[in-house]
Amino acid sequence: MSRAEEHWERLVRAALRRERTGDDAYGRPVGGIAGNVPSALAKNRDIDEILRVADEIEDDDPNISRILCEHAYSLSQNLDPNSEGRGVLQFKTGLMSVIKQKLTKREAGTIDRSQDIARLQEFYKSYREKHNVDKLCEEEMKLRESGAFSRDLGELERKTLKRKRVFATLKVLGTVLEQLCEEEIPDELKRLMDSDSALTEDLIAYNIIPLDASSSTNAIVYFPEVQAAVSALKYFNGLPELPRGYFIQPTRNATMFDFLQCTFGFQKDNVANQHEHIVHLLANEQSRLRIPEDAEPKLDEAAVQAIFLKSLQNYINWCDYLGIQPVWSSLEAVSKEKKLLYVSLYFLIWGEASNIRFLPECLCYIFHHMAREMDEILRQQIAQPANSCIYDSKDGVSFLDNVIFPLYDIVSAEAANNDNGKAPHSSWRNYDDFNEYFWSIHCFELSWPWRKSSPFFQKPQPRSKKMLIPGSSRHQGKTSFVEHRTFFHLYHSFHRLWIFLFMMFQGLTILAFNNGKLNAKTLREVLSLGPTFVVMKFFESVLDIFMMYGAYSTTRRSAVSRIFLRFLWFSLASVFITFLYVKALQEESNINGNSVVFRLYVIVIGIYAGVQFFISFLMRIPACHRLTNQCDRFPLISFVKWLRQERHYVGRGMYERSSDFIKYMLFWLVILSAKFAFAYFLQIRPLVDPTRAIIKEDNINYSWHDFVSKNNHNALTVVSVWAPVVAIYLLDIYVFYTLVSAVYGFLLGARDRLGEIRSLEALHRLFEQFPRAFMDTLHVPLPNRSSHQSSVQVVEKNKVDAARFAPFWNEIIRNLREEDYVTNFEMELLLMPKNSGDLPLVQWPLFLLASKIFLARDIAVESKDTQDEPWDRISRDDYMMYAVQECYYAIKFILTEILDDVGRKWVERIYDDINASITKRSIHVDFQLNKLALVITRVTALMGILKETETPELEKGAVRAVQDLYDVMRHDVLSINMRENYDTWSLLKKARDEGHLFEKLKWPKNTDLKMQVKRLYSLLTIKESASSIPKNLEARRRLQFFTNSLFMKMPCAKPVREMLSFSVFTPYYSEIVLYSMAELLKKNEDGISILFYLQKIYPDEWKNFLARIGRDENTLESELYDNPSDILELRFWASYRGQTLARTVRGMMYYRKALMLQTYLERTTAGDLEAAIGCEEVTDTHGFELSPEARAQADLKFTYVLTCQIYGKQKEEQKPEAADIALLMQRNEALRVAFIDVVETLKEGKVNTEYYSKLVKADINGKDKEIYSVKLPGNPKLGEGKPENQNHAIVFTRGNAVQTIDMNQDNYFEEALKMRNLLEEFHSDHGLRPPSILGVREHVFTGSVSSLASFMSNQETSFVTLGQRVLANPLKVRMHYGHPDVFDRIFHVTRGGISKASRVINISEDIYSGFNSTLRQGNITHHEYIQVRLVVY
């Protein structure tokens, strides 16, 4: 029976756990009943923690575990007594089964539950004593006081983690005790619990900055900019007092966010989220101002002003467009605190707006009224709820229910009526239609609070799938535009191009039929272009009417009026112009006719064309464009502009500076000149004579009956001849564009120095220039680097550059090794010495110097006549010269370090003699160069001994090796006159004869000295050339691109503290996260598994992987299955070579790693950089990933959010993807996962479905820790899935910029180093407006894997690289064609987001963000010095 009970309990635990069996990320067996509490019980976050602790202490005290389980059951029973929520009944049943099994296992009889509290109190004390809590805290504090960059950081990390786990358990035990105790807890225990509670403040869930509780473990709270931002948001004197019933946690002080929450009823987690958001923005803005640190940091007015204008610029523009006064009368009169209040209010509205975030001007309308309400409340003594948020509400004050839900309700009703996007667009309103309503002053008819009887809020009547039922007459429809699915869009959308092409074709044809002569007859015929133009414009106006069909009853009257006015205008114009031209022709044919009508026609055409040209020309001048915008208030100008183009809120001010327009015009002038020259000389003119001949021919007999050509000048024949020419003429403009853009793009790339390093040979040849180029581009500028210097100073400068470059280069190489692109041997050859020692030269990586010593030796042996001849030959190869110089100085340095005083005299004597011989140019006479091989052999033998660990035998061998070297130098090599230094040589000879020369050696124990010994040994032993290192093609390509980018123009790097902050944003649905072993071993119909396939296409990387995990290269994968750690590494190795989420996460987390390294190496002040370069601590990167300051600074500048829409559902359904996502969070502490949680709750006895947008991270126990949970007004998926997925989670992003990354993309560590340079492009000169989107190039690295991947790789080269290069410059029309572009985050989140989500019409959601950015006066650029990797299979 006992075994059956044990199996039953294990089964129940597995069911409740809902995780896959196996080990967790830390290698511990997964077990216990904690894991996933049903969503209906998720409001009580204590249940999961209680069950976790119950599982943890089960072996220590099963009775306490039973008490905790019973208490968790009691809490779940109180939350849902009838078990009506989804999964609650199963959870309770399983939990009760576990409790019963615990009771059955007891050997004793019944349990006396009256002693449970006493047992729990005793266990609390014993648990503290067992883990020695006081000592644990003391040890952590001592380690923390030892310094932020201490070598004991790894130990500090372990101590902190252990302390957090212990106090997390104590916190749960204390909470349960307080909830169970009806009587007072004993004073002694109460004091212990209070003291422990004070130490658990850093266990409160937070995202980046711990605001709700002080944290001594997170260095971010000690940054002065963070302290200044937090202090600025505190409750200030100008705010009304909070009501007495308003609760504030005792761990924090009141802030202005408490006032806003109390007044408008914002959700608690929304307030916490936006509080951190504002602090994050202000802190980063403050850090860029370079304000000297103060004892009490204060937020600068400039930082507040910058955030205020950036955040509310769209609101200011909206007020200006509608001609209304913003909530402030004068911006200069607004205090710093009031500005912070406005910004906080706006982002609180935005953070809780859900789908309404796609309606940016609607948010402006809401903010406008709520800010006015706030100003009224600020005049009161005590804060009162706003009327707009308590109107018609039974649950008290609630912004979500009273402001957002009515809007969401009507948007969702329209979305439900679109037949999944198949309904005509004229029959339902999408997001843009709702937003456009707020582009008119009539939007104020909605009043405030909402006037829900307005037609705007009237829901459409449900319609059947077969027929369209018109809605209520009060239903508000389209505002200004409706789209119909029709092929007429081919003309309507590009009518300007068609008109231009047809008119040019007509003009060129007229010129050709007049034999190229420009006379009066030709000019008269060319003027026939006038009727052609107005007739085609008339056709366009007809299409305008046709395209708006079905929306006249709901569209604004002004839009309908404009369409019919234009139709009337072009109808009259086409009739009038055509009539004049026909009359002019008739007069011309009439002998007695005069030219009055023709002159009138010319005057009319000239005036119209002149006015059009003049206006177009003026609109290209920025000053004139701004002037016309200021004159919009004048009725006549406003009417003319409205008739020419309807005035909208977006699309205004779309002009560039004159120089950019000239470049744009010249580019198209070249294309059009080439096209029309080709059309005239090779298409049109060659057909003139044949056409004339065909027309004149009147004796043609057709083999088929012809109705058209008969008696009609063979019209059908003429048409058949001209039709192909016309078709090619209309289409070949793209051919000319492609050719010209390819040539221009090539020239742009050459100007930007792209492709200068495209081979391994070039990389080797230019390597010595890399440190200087790195310092000029990717490193923080150092003072006095560019001043005039002597030769000695130049050497020191080069050494400084190399020392600064080496840590970054070495980290790049180590990452290549971790990614299994290079072998251990290749890594050793590629690593660069620190260059922080005393050698008077720059030490280069071994792959540049390998085998050079042996080549130099041979040259020296072969040359016997002069000293200059061998040195000239050696100097032709720079790296051979460097190798000789390094060996020369390294041997002296090592021998001087290890020998005693007598030995040092010998070394100094030898080197003095060598230097003297070099000066006298007699080294070939004074030294037997043909004996160099003996010297190299002896030095090699000595270095081979010294590189090993010291033992008595090796020490004796080292002494003999030095003595052998002495004998070779003394008897075989030296040919100098020793009498000049008789005393020294006699002393050495006497010591050698007596056998005690070099007896006392100092074994190399210093790290740098040991590395120098090993390096010299490698230089003297590697005989093969390393010209093919690295061998892996991907490693070569990456190093070539990185080093090439060092010579490209990019903004100067700011220190990490001053750089712009950014987020990376990756949408995920249900794709592969991490390959399971079953997926890797599953064979297809050809008997090929994924693992086998990967081994065959990446054979070198497979061998490198086996070496990395300590296995032989011939090891079979089946031999790895006995080690869980190897299995996990194998799964990651395979996943990193597939299109998986794990690969994307690893690549994006390189940003954080790069920032930590940059912060760690910039920890000295700018003035100390040069002075401190010789110190080991400055260039040593050991433990940089454990530095608290480096990690805190990286977290302040970088955030990574995965928006996994159905992660909650995947957890409930035990999907392997959920466990894999949790594993990724455990392995990446800075990773955050946002998802939609569907919660079923009881409301008035009915199950009610609620939706929450949640953000989680991994906690100290490897499980999900909920940070924020923001309730949504309903199901967020109303339109396209991906943009809706992005929209719900964008509130959790941080920073000035956001990079959008798809889960088929990857990143490199070396590219992550350039991110801060790229972000500075936002403040670089790119035209009249600063950039709003930074375009980044992609590289399809899997081009050799499949034909599809090869095609995508070629497509990337042609479009993504060449094409977008030209679109950005000179055309300045590049949009957003997908990821990995970098968005100006504040610009876009205040203007509708980074994508559009209307069903079907926005199915390609990415490109619409580019359209939206451009229409809202943004600027999109393209940059090619940085790239990401695109995976395509």
Side-chain angles (χ1 to χ4, degrees), residues 117 121 177-178 180-186:
I117 295 178
Q121 291 175 352
L177 257 176
E178 290 176 348
L180 291 179
C181 278
E182 297 180 359
E183 301 177 359
E184 292 217 3
I185 301 174

Side-chain angles (χ1 to χ4, degrees), residues 616-617 619-622 655-667 1370 1372:
S616 298
F617 179 76
M619 290 299 100
R620 303 304 175 188
I621 302 175
Y655 57 91
E656 299 292 340
R657 59 187 176 191
S658 301
S659 58
D660 291 328
F661 173 68
I662 292 173
K663 289 192 296 182
Y664 175 90
M665 186 175 61
L666 290 175
F667 180 85
K1372 297 186 77 66

Side-chain angles (χ1 to χ4, degrees), residues 57 90 331 337 376 466 519 524 739 823 844 869 1173:
I57 65 175
Q90 295 88 334
L331 192 57
E337 292 78 11
E376 292 293 330
K466 295 184 179 180
N519 48 32
R524 189 176 297 108
L739 294 175
T823 64
W844 301 105
E869 190 266 339
I1173 196 63

Side-chain angles (χ1 to χ4, degrees), residues 24 26 28 49 52 56 165 168 1226 1259-1263:
D24 68 4
Y26 303 101
R28 303 170 305 195
E49 286 295 310
R52 180 192 62 78
E56 176 188 336
R165 284 179 175 168
Q1226 293 161 22
D1259 67 2
I1260 57 176
N1261 298 292
K1263 298 186 181 296

Side-chain angles (χ1 to χ4, degrees), residues 382-414:
I382 299 178
Q384 300 294 328
N387 293 331
S388 60
C389 297
I390 59 173
Y391 176 76
D392 194 23
S393 175
K394 300 178 182 179
D395 301 324
V397 57
S398 173
F399 169 77
L400 180 69
D401 293 338
N402 297 287
V403 177
I404 296 301
F405 182 77
L407 291 168
Y408 171 85
D409 196 32
I410 182 60
V411 172
S412 63
E414 293 280 2

Side-chain angles (χ1 to χ4, degrees), residues 260 273 710 824 1009 1154 1173:
L260 294 172
N273 180 35
K710 188 176 181 179
N824 291 327
L1009 182 58
I1173 196 63

Side-chain angles (χ1 to χ4, degrees), residues 23 108 143 163 257 285 299 329 341 371 449 649 669 790 841 1096 1107 1181 1223 1231 1309 1362 1387:
D23 291 350
L143 286 173
R163 194 262 306 166
F257 282 88
E285 192 65 34
L299 194 62
S329 56
L341 263 179
Y649 178 69
L669 188 61
S790 64
L841 48 78
K1096 294 307 176 185
T1181 60
L1223 178 60
L1231 178 63
F1309 175 79
L1362 279 175
F1387 178 93

Side-chain angles (χ1 to χ4, degrees), residues 871-941:
W871 185 245
D872 288 342
R873 291 177 59 188
I874 291 173
S875 299
R876 292 172 190 169
D877 185 342
D878 290 338
Y879 295 115
M880 187 185 300
M881 178 179 66
Y882 298 150
V884 171
Q885 290 176 339
E886 181 173 345
C887 285
Y888 179 74
Y889 290 112
I891 292 172
K892 179 182 180 181
F893 173 73
I894 294 172
L895 291 177
T896 303
E897 290 293 324
I898 66 173
L899 296 179
D900 55 11
D901 293 339
V902 177
R904 291 196 190 97
K905 289 183 179 180
W906 170 64
V907 174
E908 292 172 359
R909 183 70 270 144
I910 290 291
Y911 273 81
D912 288 343
D913 290 339
I914 293 174
N915 292 333
S917 297
I918 292 174
T919 303
K920 294 185 297 182
R921 299 182 178 274
S922 60
I923 195 169
H924 61 290
V925 177
D926 297 338
F927 293 85
Q928 300 297 320
L929 297 182
N930 59 347
K931 301 295 183 179
L932 276 179
L934 288 174
V935 177
I936 292 174
T937 302
R938 298 303 186 271
V939 174
T940 303

